[in-house]
Amino acid sequence: MNELVYGCMGLGGDWDGEEVTPEAVDAAERAVLAALDAGMTTFDHADIYRRGKAERAFGLVLRRHPGLRDRIRLQTKVGITLPSDDVVGHYDLSAQAIRTRTLACLERLGVDHVDTLLLHRPDPLMVPQEAADALHGLVADGLVGAVGVSNFSAAQMRSLQRHLDLPIAVNQLELSLHHRGFVEEGICVNTGSSTSAPFPEGTLEHCQEHGVQVQAWGSLAQGRYSGRLPEDSDGGDRRTARLVQRLADELQATREEIVLGWLMKHPARIAPVVGSTDPGRIAACAGARRVAEELSRQQWYALLTSARGVAVP
């Protein structure tokens, strides 16, 4: 399903690992309610977001709103260990880590299960059979409804799927008008004219073929084309931001809806993850699906060409 997902990475306050303040819970509540008003019913977490504080804040919001859990889909991710004074940052998709950290997520969220559990990043030391066994166990115990991955290539998904008796439901990838390697991977075959970061060949096609929902993190590109231009913006970014504004005027839409609608028009049926905590900006994303339906092929390619700075070969 082509939908918007609310990304909870900004909830909970600072990344200091301290307790969640009442003010942070209030801010999380405002963001969650704005997301619901904008039609978002899937809420995306990870155990590392704000060092666990995002899940804690969300759990406290759920306690304030009895019945809310039954109206939404919850997903979270495990597999990244953040660096600290005595620990180097690393990935861990061992069976023990997957289970232990999932249980910790449930405790912070204050729920008895999540609808989907994602493996957050590929771990070079992952044994696919071991990871699959851990996922099977969590599903069998009713702690997880479905399983997915994040930042996995098609080859990595196939390797894991060979050992899974249940389908990979989701792959979450960085996709946006700025991070557009997913388009250039196809159109720049044999041309050498790619202007974006490399993207694993065939990954979106694999997801389409196997019914895997593609979720796009970083979908608003940090407001590069719909808000204040980042410090590293160049003339191309300013040019594209002007085009986004012009199309917003033509389609009677917000700039956020144009940027997200560009993603959602792709036949992979991409579901953008909206990570803003600003209720106004969250509301500005609500009509992205309509824009995706109304955006013409010419307008879609105009945005691509503007962002690339060169014409499609």
Side-chain angles (χ1 to χ4, degrees):
M1 182 173 61
N2 207 201
E3 61 175 337
L4 293 174
V5 174
Y6 184 69
C8 299
M9 65 286 293
L11 306 184
D14 296 331
W15 287 79
D16 55 16
E18 301 294 333
E19 289 300 314
V20 179
T21 66
E23 293 78 14
V25 179
D26 291 343
E29 181 180 37
R30 290 191 292 270
V32 169
L33 295 180
L36 288 168
D37 287 343
M40 304 177 204
T41 57
T42 297
F43 290 81
D44 173 68
H45 287 271
D47 61 346
I48 64 167
Y49 289 161
R50 310 286 158 164
R51 297 188 181 272
K53 290 166 65 175
E55 289 179 329
R56 289 195 203 101
F58 196 92
L60 292 170
V61 171
L62 289 178
R63 288 173 59 181
R64 289 184 179 183
H65 295 269
L68 176 58
R69 174 66 183 95
D70 296 331
R71 296 168 50 201
I72 64 174
R73 291 186 60 81
L74 268 181
Q75 68 180 36
T76 196
K77 302 183 287 292
V78 299
I80 298 178
T81 297
L82 295 174
S84 62
D85 291 341
D86 55 351
V87 175
V88 65
H90 62 279
Y91 307 134
D92 188 351
L93 293 180
S94 64
Q96 180 179 0
I98 291 172
R99 185 173 185 89
T100 300
R101 294 177 70 161
T102 300
L103 293 174
C105 291
L106 297 178
E107 182 177 359
R108 285 190 293 269
L109 288 164
V111 299
D112 60 6
H113 76 285
V114 290
D115 297 288
T116 311
L117 175 69
L118 278 58
L119 304 182
H120 203 161
R121 283 274 182 184
D123 173 10
L125 299 180
M126 182 187 80
V127 179
Q129 183 66 66
E130 181 183 349
D133 289 345
L135 295 172
H136 286 145
L138 289 166
V139 173
D141 291 343
L143 304 175
V144 169
V147 301
V149 295
S150 179
N151 305 297
F152 273 51
S153 69
Q156 291 165 328
M157 295 174 71
R158 285 192 294 267
S159 176
L160 178 61
Q161 186 66 77
R162 290 189 189 100
H163 302 275
L164 277 172
D165 294 333
L166 56 160
I168 294 174
V170 174
N171 190 7
Q172 195 174 102
L173 301 156
E174 184 177 10
L175 311 171
S176 69
L177 185 57
H178 180 64
H179 198 88
R180 58 191 176 278
F182 72 101
V183 175
E184 298 190 341
E185 177 262 317
I187 66 172
C188 294
V189 170
N190 212 31
T191 67
S193 62
S194 175
T195 61
S196 188
F199 189 81
E201 181 179 356
T203 296
L204 290 197
E205 290 83 356
H206 175 90
C207 291
Q208 288 176 267
E209 181 179 354
H210 295 278
V212 179
Q213 184 191 51
V214 177
Q215 295 180 359
W217 66 269
S219 58
L220 287 169
Q222 298 178 319
R224 188 172 297 269
Y225 310 121
S226 57
R228 179 179 298 178
L229 289 170
E231 291 183 2
D232 64 343
S233 298
D234 56 22
D237 288 337
R238 288 187 286 274
R239 178 183 62 246
T240 304
R242 290 193 295 270
L243 177 58
V244 166
Q245 182 63 68
R246 180 168 66 78
L247 291 175
D249 293 340
E250 291 178 7
L251 296 177
Q252 297 183 328
T254 66
R255 294 174 296 173
E256 288 84 357
E257 288 167 346
I258 297 296
V259 172
L260 298 179
W262 183 85
L263 272 177
M264 297 174 81
K265 193 170 185 67
H266 192 281
R269 300 184 65 79
I270 296 167
V273 179
V274 175
S276 175
T277 59
D278 179 351
R281 193 157 190 237
I282 295 169
C285 299
R289 185 181 294 108
R290 174 188 69 82
V291 169
E293 294 170 353
E294 296 181 5
L295 199 67
S296 71
R297 184 178 293 260
Q298 171 65 26
Q299 290 167 330
W300 191 91
Y301 272 102
L303 285 165
L304 175 64
T305 299
S306 177
R308 297 184 75 227
V310 295
V312 173

